[in-house]
Amino acid sequence: MAILDRVPGLEVTVHVDGQQAQEYDDDEGEQAVPGAVGWYQAARTVRKYVESISDKEFLVQLSLDRSFKFDCPTLSCELSIDGKIVRSPVIYHKHQDSFTLDIDGIKTSAGDGKRALLKPFKFSKIETSTDDAKLKDIKEDSKHMNEVGEIAFRIWRSSEARPREAHDYTELAAAKAVHEKALKGQAKSHTTTLVLGEASRVVSRTVVSCEKLDGFDYPIAIFKFMYRSKDSLKSLLIIKRTPSPDLENIPGPSEFVDVSNLAPEQRKKVAKFLQGLNGRDGGSVTPGPSIKRERDDNEAGDLRKKRNSGKSITIDLTGDSDDDDEIIALN
């Protein structure tokens, strides 16, 4: 679970297909933007990786327990997915003992302002293409791909809530194929889309507004979840790869070979093969006839002169090696 030490009693988790997602630490941490605001936000940010599974619904859950210091009238929250704000719930002081909030989809107006149609979140696989026709959208697609793969949840201390007019959030884009160059080598596997049809349901809706007591730049906590497929998490070394088999532990062939079931001709071939192995391993091998090279008198004389010249001969044994040259002198 994602917990911020500076804000005890507050935690945020991601649940996929009804189960709390296992979280993996991000060793790099939050990169602080230079300046007081950047350093403050980096100190208040928790970053985790979670596994995304194609076509599975997910939700974000916020929990408060009694250790949380609720020192303001309300908490205003903001959930953004893939760079888009999708929900802005408000938590009232009356929930200071313990409270759990599940955010499982986008609410869009159902017509009367008091009801809304909730469309659940789900992970959708990013489809890539090498079709050059997709290159015309590569600038827009690259911008979108830079934003996908992140769930961010921010929380502020806020004032009393007051009613306001309802508005609809920008809906998440439907999944579409993008040119592979739009990913720019990023290990991203999924985007977030909405479940339509029967999965959508009508829910109640109350719209309010609050003033952020410490200012927009100073939330009390920021939780970020980078969602990736298991294969992508392995490629990023977030989780360990499946180890390769240990060759030393692979059983070798049996020392006993049963040749009784072989045909006579096959047994002869096996016996001949084994005889050859025995000879090569130190058995008796009949040496072949030696061949004596004949030289004429001139060649022999030249050879004697070379042997007795007494001059130093330099031999380069390195060839085309990239190592340092080694020169050996033979006298």
Side-chain angles (χ1 to χ4, degrees), residues 21 32 76 121 189 199 224 277 302:
S76 58
F121 304 126
S189 55
K224 293 184 178 181
L277 290 178
D302 292 341

Side-chain angles (χ1 to χ4, degrees), residues 21-143:
Q22 182 174 349
E23 297 173 0
Y24 303 93
D25 292 333
D26 176 18
D27 294 335
E28 294 184 359
E30 182 73 3
Q31 300 299 316
V33 176
V37 172
W39 291 113
Y40 172 89
Q41 292 188 2
R44 297 274 175 162
T45 299
V46 178
R47 289 170 58 93
K48 298 287 184 179
Y49 279 94
V50 295
E51 180 185 347
S52 53
I53 305 173
S54 297
D55 299 322
K56 296 298 183 182
E57 295 182 26
F58 71 92
L59 61 84
V60 178
Q61 184 180 89
L62 176 143
S63 299
L64 300 177
D65 64 27
R66 293 183 179 181
S67 64
F68 176 73
K69 184 180 179 181
F70 210 134
D71 58 356
C72 53
T74 64
L75 295 175
S76 58
C77 308
E78 179 184 276
L79 174 64
S80 61
I81 301 178
D82 296 349
K84 294 183 173 61
I85 300 173
V86 294
R87 289 279 294 276
S88 299
V90 174
I91 303 172
Y92 294 84
H93 193 277
K94 63 182 180 180
H95 298 305
Q96 61 179 328
D97 286 341
S98 61
F99 177 73
T100 299
L101 171 67
D102 291 342
I103 307 176
D104 57 352
I106 284 181
K107 290 182 177 181
T108 58
S109 176
D112 60 3
K114 296 182 179 180
R115 295 183 303 167
L117 184 66
L118 189 142
K119 302 175 182 178
F121 304 126
K122 75 169 183 177
F123 294 122
S124 294
K125 183 180 179 181
I126 297 175
E127 301 290 347
T128 59
S129 170
T130 57
D131 184 1
D132 289 344
K134 299 287 184 182
L135 290 174
K136 64 182 178 63
D137 300 321
I138 194 167
K139 184 176 181 179
E140 180 182 348
D141 290 341
S142 296
K143 181 181 178 180

Side-chain angles (χ1 to χ4, degrees), residues 171-199:
E171 293 203 13
L172 297 169
K176 67 172 185 176
V178 298
H179 198 280
E180 61 182 10
K181 290 183 178 179
L183 284 171
K184 297 179 180 179
Q186 301 177 89
K188 294 186 176 181
S189 55
H190 291 92
T191 184
T192 296
T193 58
L194 301 176
V195 181
L196 305 177
E198 295 180 358

Side-chain angles (χ1 to χ4, degrees), residues 258-286:
D258 185 6
V259 297
S260 61
N261 295 326
L262 298 178
E265 187 64 26
Q266 291 175 322
R267 287 200 294 270
K268 290 181 181 179
K269 290 182 179 180
V270 172
K272 185 176 181 180
F273 173 73
L274 293 176
Q275 288 175 357
L277 290 178
N278 290 334
R280 186 172 57 193
D281 292 339
S284 59
V285 179
T286 303

